[in-house]
């Protein structure tokens, strides 16, 4: 029974990681689209930062800020 409990914990950890990764990918895709459609650098930065503010989870916000920093 101990393995079953441990296995369930590991599955939950992986599910959590997958969820965060999906959010990161979604954010990167949104930023890519904003970049594609922006006519100026200022517009891109404004819209990208606005997109980042939509995310309230502090655990992922730092990671998303790092993604944004790659392209600003």
């Amino acid at each position: 029974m101990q393995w079953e409990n441990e296995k369930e914990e590991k599955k939950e950890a992986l599910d959590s990681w997958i969820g965060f990764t999906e959010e990161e990918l979604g954010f990167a895709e949104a930023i890519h689209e904003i970049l594609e459609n922006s006519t100026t650098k200022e517009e891109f930065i404004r819209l990208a930062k606005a997109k980042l503010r939509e995310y309230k989870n502090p655990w992922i916000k730092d990671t998303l800020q790092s993604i944004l920093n790659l392209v600003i």
Side-chain angles (χ1 to χ4, degrees):
M1 193 61 165
Q2 184 180 5
W3 169 239
E4 289 302 318
N5 292 337
E6 186 177 341
K7 188 165 75 170
E8 192 60 36
E9 289 175 7
K10 292 177 185 305
K11 287 171 31 182
E12 288 174 10
L14 285 170
D15 289 343
S16 177
W17 182 85
I18 289 167
F20 282 132
T21 302
E22 287 173 345
E23 283 190 79
E24 291 170 0
L25 181 57
F27 178 75
E29 289 172 342
I31 295 302
H32 187 277
E33 184 176 340
I34 291 169
L35 180 61
E36 185 73 30
N37 295 321
S38 294
T39 56
T40 66
K41 182 178 182 177
E42 292 76 20
E43 178 186 27
F44 166 68
I45 291 171
R46 181 178 51 79
L47 294 173
K49 286 182 177 182
K51 185 67 178 175
L52 179 61
R53 283 191 296 275
E54 292 177 14
Y55 291 83
K56 304 301 181 198
N57 183 337
W59 295 106
I60 194 168
K61 201 160 187 173
D62 288 341
T63 301
L64 300 182
Q65 180 66 58
S66 296
I67 293 169
L68 184 56
N69 290 344
L70 288 173
V71 292
I72 287 186

